[in-house]
Amino acid sequence: MTRKYIIKGLVQGIGYRPWVAKLADELNIDGYVRNTGGIVTVVASGESERLTQFCNRLSSDVPTGGFITSIEEEDLEGQKIEPGFKIIESDKDAEKNLPLIPADIATCDECKRELFNPKNRRYRHPFISCTVCGPRYSIIEKLPYDRDTITMKDFEMCPDCQAEYTGKKDRRRHAQTIACKSCGPRLKFTDLKYKNADNITDKNTVDNYVENYNENDVDGEITASLSLINHGGILAIKDIGGYHLACSPFNEKAVSALRNLKHREAKAFAVMFEDVEQVKEFCKVNQQEAKLLEDPARPIVLVRRKKHISAGKKHIAENVYLTSPDIGAMLPCNPVQMMLVKECGPLIMTSGNASGDVLEIDNKKMLQWLKERVASGEIDGTPIAMLSHDRKILRPMDDSVMKVVKGRQQFIRRGRGHVPNPIPVDIDGEIFAAGGDLKSSFCYVKNGLAYVSQYLGDLESVSCQKFYRNEMAAMEKIFGFKPKEVVTDLHPGYFSGQVGHEYAQKKNLPIHKVQHHKVHVLSVIAEHKLKGPVLGFAFDGTGYGEDGTVWGSEVFLWDGKSGIGRVADLRPSRLIGGDEGAKNCDTILVGILHENGLDELIENENAKIIRTAIDSDINVVTSTSMGRLFDAVSAMLDICHYNTYEGQAPIELENMAARTEEVYPLCFGENGSTEEIFLEIANAIAHDVPKESIARGFIYAVADYILEIATIYSERLGKEKQIVLSGGTFLNRILLERTIELLEADGFKVYISEQLPPGDGGICLGQAMASRLLESC
């Protein structure tokens, strides 16, 4: 008998067709398998029992990285099928179903074994991959996922690779990224001559390797790269999703030069380790963190560093992690990284761009940028080189960044390895949600799946604005989205809102604007498919409020049906507005103290000027922001006085609090008053209480404040007692842990974002959810 199977799910780019063909061969089944738009079609002929077994295996045994959402069966009695089972050419003209495309996948264990096996023909091949690993989303132009629709089409297969591609071996049978040293992409090592060369240790040794580098030696690029790093140099490496900048974390001078190169003075760097066991030499790693590190997505995972962060005679330099109690640890995800880390040991691996710009993917632009930085002389003679390759990257893919808090995974940044995997939601219709302008992302929703873009950066940058538009168009083309409505933030000045408005006008679509903090809460509700009632806390730095003021400490009650209303917030303060007002923590502190009638706590000429400006209503905003409160406390404790990057002062405050378990008790006043907090902090400072204890006491006071509000509304939440915590403030590990502990001890069920960041990188999903609840939003 003969049957046709229509298979939907993540079935392209994971070796599903070769796997189906192998299964059919095992069961002695004739027929064929092909890509049809965004799905896989199988026609199979054989005995009834074998076909039943075949169908069961199709849904239950799926290659790594894939999943099945449905299999439709149809009898094809009377249709003649040729003997044997074939993989046939994709049906490019078929009507497109909603496709699922895999994210870029880390090099699998089988390929890794071949990479380091001298007897294997792909020994030390920098682009080794198979059907279950390697780049996917970053190199695809359009569907279906075939050799001629990805950037590997630029490389003609050699006879050996062609034989594997059309053969019976499952790992490389129809592996679209198949290549070897003879026919695949090539590495290129480019040395940038350095200024102030007299300052370089072992300069002659470095020059000797570089000058004797032979581009015809297949391992020469790696050898030269190793020498550069081992002698204190910085290497720009073109990886799967773009360039990384690498250097030794044990070399303080190289790390300092890297900070100058990136203009990144105050943020900690991530470190790549060979394996989890090596991470454990320097950091404390629990079972869940180890699982995340080894996940095929290979994210950066924040893990607690050991007090003395060293192994043997190797000491990670303090200017790698600065004040952070964590190390952003990661494992290699591609062959080049694997070879470098195996030879060099741990490496700093940070994005190849200046802070705030889009990750660089273009060889010429990267080379020009590096030349300009070397010419500036700011890197003080540190040798720099570039390890590029000639395979095109179609879209930059930053590393995903994650951590584990109270057994829950939390994204700080969602990127390579996770995008474009969709999130199942109970949202009907076809929607484009534009997101926000900070840590931006957007999403398309269709058929109950939310396709959230990767992290796009802050949209005040022209390069990030261009990136946003490009990614929006690329996703629409690849997935065939045709939204029927558009949702944006309420803020009138957001670039994302402007793009959403233009798109709605061009397509003649209805557009809806929804409040920033409501969608923070709704994003978690959508992710977990919660039913009301829900009490949601949205704490962050800023968001345009429905009354035209700046919100940021909002509490909402959602009944699950007709209404989501604000029920609490911090007492508003009048503060200096604009970008400078949000960055200058001293100005924020003066404004909040002035609002509370506590001018006597700061007496200086600058404070008087700020108070006069506020009283004269010069560039003043009214704010309930929890983030600004953290800024003020950080300044008052002399921890951080200026945010050189988004959230620096709150992060430094948390880092200080992490130094102790001692808690100096603090508390909020009635109705979100902060007067008591600052009076108690002033008293603690006067009595020489360690600032670490005061910082932890403040964070605990915020958790107590949350519990107090939750208790007030407990009866209205019913027996489920559901609480949602969202917004960038909840990236604070101490706050989130303490809040969850307090709420769960009191019988509340606590939900956070686990598939998206809690900050503005996740609000696009909440916007899509809000479109279904417009009367209540």
Side-chain angles (χ1 to χ4, degrees):
M1 62 187 307
T2 303
R3 288 178 185 161
K4 180 180 180 180
Y5 303 96
I6 303 296
I7 304 168
K8 298 180 180 180
L10 208 171
V11 289
Q12 294 198 22
I14 60 166
Y16 191 73
R17 287 180 299 163
W19 178 83
V20 170
K22 180 175 180 288
L23 177 59
D25 290 340
E26 288 178 4
L27 296 175
N28 196 26
I29 287 172
D30 300 325
Y32 64 83
V33 58
R34 76 188 308 184
N35 283 335
T36 310
I39 64 175
V40 165
T41 298
V42 178
V43 173
S45 181
E47 297 175 0
S48 177
E49 290 185 5
R50 292 180 182 273
L51 288 179
T52 299
Q53 185 180 357
F54 181 64
C55 183
N56 291 337
R57 295 276 302 277
L58 286 176
S59 60
S60 60
D61 300 341
V62 184
T64 301
F67 59 84
I68 305 299
T69 56
S70 69
I71 298 181
E72 301 171 10
E73 293 187 51
E74 178 185 348
D75 285 331
L76 299 178
E77 289 303 330
Q79 181 169 326
K80 291 185 178 181
I81 300 296
E82 294 181 2
F85 196 91
K86 301 176 181 178
I87 300 172
I88 65 175
E89 185 178 350
S90 299
D91 184 1
K92 296 179 174 63
D93 297 324
E95 181 180 352
K96 287 189 176 181
N97 295 273
L98 183 61
L100 297 172
I101 301 172
D104 297 323
I105 308 168
T107 303
C108 68
D109 290 340
E110 285 294 319
C111 283
K112 183 178 179 181
R113 278 190 282 271
E114 292 175 348
L115 177 68
F116 292 112
N117 179 4
K119 296 181 180 179
N120 191 279
R121 78 181 193 91
R122 289 188 173 85
Y123 174 59
R124 294 175 70 85
H125 172 44
F127 303 94
I128 191 170
S129 65
C130 66
T131 55
V132 297
C133 70
R136 295 294 188 267
Y137 185 59
S138 61
I139 62 171
I140 188 171
E141 294 178 345
K142 59 183 179 180
L143 283 173
Y145 179 82
D146 280 331
R147 182 78 169 200
D148 63 351
T149 60
I150 62 176
T151 58
M152 284 299 294
K153 68 183 178 183
D154 296 336
F155 305 94
E156 184 177 351
M157 284 181 254
C158 67
D160 288 338
C161 285
Q162 183 68 44
E164 290 177 312
Y165 184 81
T166 57
K168 294 291 185 180
K169 290 186 177 181
D170 57 308
R171 280 184 56 243
R172 292 202 171 88
R173 185 181 185 182
H174 277 258
Q176 306 304 336
T177 55
I178 190 171
C180 67
K181 291 182 179 180
S182 298
C183 64
R186 296 293 298 246
L187 293 177
K188 181 180 180 181
F189 181 87
T190 304
D191 175 41
L192 285 88
K193 293 303 177 184
Y194 26 85
K195 289 193 171 185
N196 303 323
D198 292 341
N199 295 334
I200 300 174
T201 304
D202 294 331
K203 172 180 175 293
N204 292 332
T205 308
V206 177
D207 280 341
N208 182 59
Y209 274 95
V210 171
E211 289 173 4
N212 288 288
Y213 157 59
N214 181 356
E215 64 180 10
N216 295 317
D217 175 4
V218 293
D219 290 330
E221 301 90 350
I222 298 296
T223 302
S225 299
L226 291 169
S227 174
L228 186 90
I229 293 171
N230 287 333
H231 291 89
I234 297 172
L235 183 68
I237 309 167
K238 188 178 182 182
D239 286 319
I240 288 179
Y243 275 92
H244 279 102
L245 296 170
C247 73
S248 171
F250 308 118
N251 189 316
E252 185 176 354
K253 182 177 181 295
V255 177
S256 179
L258 181 58
R259 291 199 173 279
N260 289 336
L261 181 68
K262 278 183 63 72
H263 291 164
R264 180 170 171 162
E265 293 79 17
K267 275 188 177 181
F269 282 130
V271 178
M272 180 174 286
F273 298 87
E274 184 176 2
D275 52 33
V276 170
E277 292 307 308
Q278 191 176 71
V279 179
K280 289 179 178 178
E281 294 178 17
F282 298 90
C283 306
K284 301 173 184 177
V285 182
N286 64 35
Q287 188 174 1
Q288 194 172 355
E289 290 165 342
K291 186 177 179 180
L292 277 183
L293 284 165
E294 293 178 324
D295 186 88
R298 290 294 193 273
I300 297 170
V301 182
L302 297 189
V303 292
R304 280 287 190 250
R305 60 180 172 84
K306 292 181 178 178
K307 188 173 182 180
H308 301 290
I309 187 159
S310 61
K313 295 182 180 180
K314 294 281 190 177
H315 301 268
I316 291 182
E318 289 186 12
N319 61 344
V320 172
Y321 52 84
L322 303 172
T323 65
S324 176
D326 297 325
I327 286 286
M330 61 192 303
L331 302 186
C333 75
N334 63 66
V336 170
Q337 292 177 349
M338 289 175 173
M339 288 188 283
L340 292 177
V341 173
K342 187 175 183 65
E343 299 276 351
C344 288
L347 291 173
I348 287 177
M349 199 68 68
T350 187
S351 57
N353 57 353
S355 293
D357 285 341
V358 176
L359 183 67
E360 189 56 71
I361 60 175
D362 183 87
N363 294 344
K364 291 182 179 179
K365 290 181 180 179
M366 189 67 191
L367 181 60
Q368 182 60 34
W369 182 72
L370 290 174
K371 285 181 175 179
E372 290 172 356
R373 302 300 295 127
V374 170
S376 72
E378 293 180 50
I379 56 174
D380 193 25
T382 299
I384 294 182
M386 189 169 92
L387 186 63
S388 60
H389 60 72
D390 54 356
R391 181 174 64 199
K392 288 183 290 188
I393 299 171
L394 296 180
R395 55 195 55 85
M397 296 296 294
D398 266 304
D399 299 311
S400 295
V401 184
M402 306 176 72
K403 62 182 175 182
V404 177
V405 183
K406 299 296 287 184
R408 299 158 167 88
Q409 72 173 31
Q410 186 181 49
F411 277 92
I412 299 166
R413 182 173 72 203
R414 186 173 183 264
R416 181 189 50 75
H418 290 279
V419 176
N421 296 343
I423 300 169
V425 291
D426 288 336
I427 302 173
D428 57 1
E430 295 186 52
I431 305 161
F432 173 71
D437 273 22
L438 292 177
K439 308 295 184 287
S440 182
S441 69
F442 58 78
C443 79
Y444 290 92
V445 175
K446 182 178 180 180
N447 294 354
L449 294 172
Y451 289 73
V452 181
S453 77
Q454 63 172 300
Y455 164 84
L456 300 167
D458 295 343
L459 298 183
E460 63 183 13
S461 160
V462 174
S463 64
C464 292
Q465 292 176 4
K466 182 178 179 181
F467 187 25
Y468 183 102
R469 290 185 184 274
N470 289 345
E471 281 302 287
M472 182 180 169
M475 288 186 73
E476 187 169 323
K477 175 184 176 182
I478 291 173
F479 294 98
F481 294 125
K482 296 179 180 178
K484 301 298 188 293
E485 58 188 298
V486 175
V487 194
T488 71
D489 194 273
L490 191 62
H491 197 296
Y494 269 7
F495 174 82
S496 56
Q498 174 189 329
V499 173
H501 181 73
E502 292 171 359
Y503 186 80
Q505 281 192 323
K506 180 180 178 181
K507 302 286 187 178
N508 195 27
L509 301 176
I511 185 169
H512 316 291
K513 297 182 179 182
V514 291
Q515 203 281 321
H516 186 91
H517 297 93
K518 287 182 177 178
V519 297
H520 263 306
V521 171
L522 289 173
S523 68
V524 183
I525 290 172
E527 179 187 320
H528 293 280
K529 300 182 179 180
L530 300 180
K531 309 300 179 185
V534 170
L535 187 69
F537 294 80
F539 289 178
D540 65 2
T542 183
Y544 191 80
E546 291 173 341
D547 56 4
T549 66
V550 177
W551 290 5
S553 61
E554 317 316 301
V555 188
F556 299 97
L557 184 63
W558 180 57
D559 62 7
K561 297 177 182 178
S562 61
I564 177 168
R566 185 166 64 145
V567 296
D569 56 17
L570 291 179
R571 184 175 294 173
S573 295
R574 284 163 50 80
L575 306 174
I576 300 298
D579 289 343
E580 182 64 20
K583 293 177 180 179
N584 192 320
C585 302
D586 291 334
T587 299
I588 295 165
L589 175 60
V590 170
I592 294 179
L593 292 178
H594 187 53
E595 188 69 34
N596 283 310
L598 300 175
D599 292 344
E600 70 276 5
L601 296 183
I602 296 181
E603 287 293 352
N604 58 50
E605 200 59 39
N606 190 52
K608 292 178 182 178
I609 294 171
I610 295 167
R611 289 194 286 262
T612 299
I614 292 173
D615 291 339
S616 302
D617 205 27
I618 300 173
N619 191 27
V620 172
V621 297
T622 300
S623 171
T624 63
S625 169
M626 181 64 75
R628 297 293 82 84
L629 180 61
F630 271 77
D631 289 338
V633 173
S634 190
M636 191 168 185
L637 292 177
D638 194 27
I639 296 170
C640 180
H641 295 273
Y642 195 87
N643 288 302
T644 62
Y645 63 86
E646 175 72 17
Q648 180 180 354
I651 289 170
E652 298 286 357
L653 180 72
E654 179 190 0
N655 293 348
M656 181 64 69
R659 297 181 181 180
T660 185
E661 294 296 324
E662 297 294 323
V663 181
Y664 182 81
L666 300 171
C667 65
F668 285 80
E670 293 183 359
N671 300 317
S673 168
T674 58
E675 178 183 355
E676 292 83 350
I677 286 279
F678 287 102
L679 285 172
E680 290 169 355
I681 290 175
N683 181 63
I685 292 172
H687 288 84
D688 295 323
V689 176
K691 64 177 67 176
E692 296 94 328
S693 300
I694 305 173
R696 183 171 281 268
F698 168 69
I699 295 171
Y700 274 37
V702 177
D704 291 339
Y705 170 69
I706 293 169
L707 176 62
E708 180 184 343
I709 295 173
T711 303
I712 292 171
Y713 290 94
S714 177
E715 290 187 9
R716 295 178 63 177
L717 294 178
K719 58 183 179 181
E720 291 297 315
K721 298 179 70 174
Q722 297 178 132
I723 302 289
V724 159
L725 307 176
S726 188
T729 300
F730 289 107
L731 284 169
N732 185 307
R733 185 194 294 268
I734 297 172
L735 173 63
L736 188 55
E737 287 180 344
R738 179 65 175 174
T739 302
I740 292 173
E741 287 173 359
L742 291 176
L743 290 170
E744 288 186 341
D746 218 29
F748 292 95
K749 292 183 180 179
V750 183
Y751 298 90
I752 67 169
S753 295
E754 296 183 46
Q755 300 301 318
L756 292 171
D760 288 6
I763 65 170
C764 56
L765 180 58
Q767 289 173 346
M769 182 71 175
S771 72
R772 304 278 71 88
L773 307 167
L774 286 173
E775 290 186 4
S776 61
C777 290

